[in-house]
Amino acid sequence: MVDLIEARVVVIGSGPAGIAAACAAAESGGRVLLVDGQSEPGGAIWRGAWTGRVPAADPAPVWFDRLRRAPVETAFDTTIVGRVGPHRLLAAREHRSIEIRYDRLILATGARELLLPFPGWTLPGVVGAGALQLLVKNGLPIAGARVAVVGSGPLLPAVAASLRARGASIAVLIEQASWRALARFAGHLMVGHFSKFRQALALKRAIRGTAYRAGCWPRAAVGEDRVRSIVFTDGVHLREEPCDWVACGFGLVPNLELAAMLGCGIRDGRLTVDDHQESTQEGVFGAGELCGVGGVDLALALGRIAGHASVGDRVRAERWMSLRDKHRRLATRLEHTFRLRSELERLCEPETIVCRCEDVPFGSLRGAASARDAKLATRCGMGPCQGRICGPATERLFGWTDRSGRPPLVPIRLDALADPPDS
Amino acid sequence: MVDRVAARLQSAESQGPIDKEISVPEPTPKPRDEISLTINGRLVRVAESTTVAAAVIGAGFPSFRRSVRHERRGPVCGMGVCFECRLTIDGIVVPTTCQLACREGMVVTTDG
């Protein structure tokens, strides 16, 4: 017996965009179901705040409150694995499969960190920057540990500040963007987005005393059984800093697998949507980082537009468009400021692992013409993560794109598939 | 002006009043129940809602598994994407232990 749930509007993903979309669709009169693979709403950015085990940063409490009061049904611990027909998705919850039927679908599947391979990046202790923050929020003791925060983007100082508040010492913060680019960005914030400027200053204050190296990038993580130090450069000198953790992130990449499976148009690494957030597939909408990385405020605006528009309430949807445009301008600025330098594409040695699941080294990939070619010859991207980690890396290193979106989207237990819905 | 802002940022100092209004969230530990589980034969106690991946690293086992080439590997993405944190729990391989909360009496073994 397969569980069946249905709703007029189904929202996939309960981060800021998904919460805003669900609330907006409900406000416009839709019967809404909010689905997430996690056990609570909030997405990666508000992880742990719903249950109160992590303090909620603004504006999370406001949105959690709205979600609690909105007539929105929820299905947590529920991961989409495939589709069983038009307007019908297959999901898994532990050992069970669930069919989800919808009239309108809003995708708010968020983004993951971009991890670029460099020598030693596979050592235990080298983790995503957001990942270390999540692990700590989920109970990992970090007090007394030395953390090197490495990569690019506004997430790095935020991670450094939060780890420091929990007793970690930040060995070094390595940002690949130049001081000049950062200064220009700060000037822009000061003029056009003063509240953000104040946030940036507060963040700067929270990591006061930390060695902040702009215009630098990693060359190698060093260690035997786990990482012991990070070697980095400004292009001229090499420096080595001892550390217990290397938390690295080079930006975010949208989670496009489900959108690709549904046949939605994707361009420049983001979901193609119209002014009302509808994708190229009629009745399928997108919101949040999926439509281009832009942060919480943009995600909330896009979620509201998608939610209202999904049930045909264009009037309410259009109210949020000028706010959307404002946040999108900031997102474009961010993208420009933290554009990755080409040196990052030349960090790998021939023996540096690129595909972690199948242990495929950089050297064996250089002859391949495409992602498919590399798969056939080396199994690159064919392990359990299905290319989610190495795919964005090889896109950057070799210019390959691979958006097959083939089900099952995630590895699931056979007993969950053993009794699937009628197809 | 750009250079002035750069110097300002680099000096890592800012005005006083600002951090009174905007502050980075401080941890406010809530009293939580403890859970006991066994990790590589050792009895470990963790706070409720700690994930298995966090508990295993916290217990001193940063290496979770051996890769195809027998290299040590530990958690990477923390959000159920990379599958590097897979472990054997009560005899069954769990692919994403960073997404799984510890439960009383669990028996967890690493392969690293």
Side-chain angles (χ1 to χ4, degrees):
Chain A
M1 182 60 195
V2 169
D3 294 328
L4 173 76
I5 39 182
E6 57 189 318
R8 183 168 172 213
V9 181
V10 171
V11 182
I12 310 294
S14 69
I19 292 173
C23 292
E27 193 188 320
S28 287
R31 212 171 73 74
V32 184
L33 171 72
L34 181 61
V35 180
D36 200 296
Q38 301 294 322
S39 53
E40 61 190 44
I45 187 152
W46 293 339
R47 174 82 79 250
W50 177 261
T51 47
R53 67 179 197 277
V54 172
D58 279 335
V62 177
W63 282 98
F64 284 161
D65 195 43
R66 266 183 208 158
L67 181 61
R68 281 193 186 95
R69 283 184 289 127
V72 171
E73 280 180 66
T74 54
F76 293 109
D77 296 310
T78 304
T79 308
I80 308 296
V81 292
R83 75 190 287 216
V84 277
H87 299 264
R88 296 164 70 195
L89 294 174
L90 179 68
R93 183 190 289 158
E94 289 200 26
H95 314 200
R96 296 192 63 87
S97 55
I98 301 167
E99 182 181 331
I100 298 175
R101 293 189 186 179
Y102 61 87
D103 183 35
R104 305 281 156 175
L105 186 67
I106 302 177
L107 305 178
T109 47
R112 56 181 177 266
E113 279 182 284
L114 172 62
L115 298 172
L116 294 177
F118 56 88
W121 78 301
T122 52
L123 282 170
V126 181
V127 295
L132 187 57
Q133 194 175 21
L134 284 174
L135 282 165
V136 169
K137 283 181 182 180
N138 287 330
L140 174 72
I142 198 74
R146 294 164 303 173
V147 184
V149 183
V150 179
S152 195
L155 183 68
L156 300 187
V159 167
S162 96
L163 295 177
R164 203 178 183 192
R166 289 160 182 271
S169 76
I170 306 302
V172 62
L173 196 160
I174 300 165
E175 164 62 62
Q176 60 90 42
S178 66
W179 275 117
R180 203 171 168 79
L182 294 176
R184 207 173 293 133
F185 181 65
H188 174 77
L189 283 185
M190 199 156 69
V191 177
H193 304 266
F194 195 66
S195 67
K196 295 272 179 220
F197 180 69
R198 285 157 60 101
Q199 277 179 26
L201 282 183
L203 213 48
K204 188 69 206 165
R205 223 176 144 71
I207 57 169
R208 187 175 30 188
T210 296
Y212 189 108
R213 309 273 179 209
C216 291
W217 58 93
R219 286 293 301 276
V222 183
E224 292 281 322
D225 291 343
R226 65 163 303 156
V227 69
R228 299 286 172 210
S229 70
I230 180 82
V231 177
F232 63 100
T233 184
D234 58 2
V236 183
H237 306 287
L238 283 176
R239 294 181 68 126
E240 186 166 3
E241 197 67 51
C243 59
D244 306 303
W245 291 93
V246 173
C248 52
F250 293 88
L252 300 173
V253 274
N255 293 321
L256 289 160
E257 290 74 15
L258 177 55
M261 188 188 76
L262 295 170
C264 299
I266 293 163
R267 243 187 99 188
D268 298 333
R270 58 186 71 175
L271 183 73
T272 305
V273 288
D274 66 13
D275 216 28
H276 292 84
Q277 298 303 119
E278 189 164 9
S279 75
T280 57
Q281 291 285 331
E282 199 188 336
V284 180
F285 294 71
E289 308 290 53
L290 195 62
C291 309
V293 172
V296 175
D297 297 325
L298 181 60
L300 289 168
L302 296 182
R304 283 168 137 150
I305 295 169
H308 291 308
S310 69
V311 287
D313 189 351
R314 298 200 151 212
V315 177
R316 277 210 185 87
E318 279 157 21
R319 280 185 205 152
W320 299 102
M321 288 185 182
S322 66
L323 190 66
R324 171 199 66 189
D325 295 341
K326 182 188 166 190
H327 293 310
R328 194 172 272 161
R329 282 195 294 276
L330 180 63
T332 309
R333 250 329 148 145
L334 273 167
E335 201 184 319
H336 186 75
T337 303
F338 297 103
R339 181 158 296 160
L340 297 181
R341 56 176 70 232
S342 60
E343 285 92 336
L344 297 171
E345 292 156 22
R346 299 191 287 273
L347 300 177
C348 289
E349 305 285 347
E351 65 276 12
T352 305
I353 298 295
V354 173
C355 168
R356 310 174 60 107
C357 296
E358 297 290 336
D359 273 1
V360 183
F362 180 74
S364 69
L365 290 170
R366 273 184 301 194
S370 65
R372 187 181 145 76
D373 201 19
K375 269 187 189 178
L376 293 173
T378 67
R379 293 194 52 81
C380 179
M382 294 180 73
C385 92
Q386 297 178 296
R388 281 175 168 84
I389 302 296
C390 68
T394 57
E395 189 168 341
R396 190 154 285 278
L397 297 178
F398 305 108
W400 302 338
T401 47
D402 180 18
R403 303 210 192 283
S404 46
R406 250 191 328 197
L409 291 173
V410 291
I412 61 165
R413 295 172 58 112
L414 277 174
D415 52 1
L417 269 184
D419 193 15
D422 310 329
S423 45
Chain B
M1 142 115 177
V2 161
D3 292 332
R4 265 209 327 256
V5 178
R8 171 79 169 282
L9 289 174
Q10 216 155 1
S11 77
E13 286 300 329
S14 62
Q15 305 116 335
I18 281 171
D19 61 334
K20 281 183 192 145
E21 291 172 46
I22 309 159
S23 62
V24 174
E26 293 291 325
T28 47
K30 264 173 62 167
R32 285 192 268 169
D33 292 338
E34 283 205 332
I35 288 176
S36 315
L37 66 161
T38 308
I39 301 174
N40 289 344
R42 238 170 69 193
L43 193 67
V44 174
R45 295 174 73 79
V46 297
E48 192 190 4
S49 81
T50 300
T51 59
V52 175
V56 171
I57 303 172
F61 302 102
S63 171
F64 279 39
R65 68 176 194 101
R66 294 286 186 150
S67 73
V68 174
R69 294 185 172 190
H70 217 62
E71 293 177 3
R72 292 180 195 276
R73 294 286 167 78
V76 177
C77 77
M79 55 195 291
V81 172
C82 73
F83 298 92
E84 288 279 32
C85 64
R86 53 188 187 264
L87 289 172
T88 307
I89 301 176
D90 299 333
I92 294 170
V93 175
V94 175
T96 51
T97 61
C98 67
Q99 306 295 293
L100 182 70
C102 292
R103 283 196 281 256
E104 188 67 36
M106 266 182 172
V107 177
V108 183
T109 47
T110 65
D111 192 22

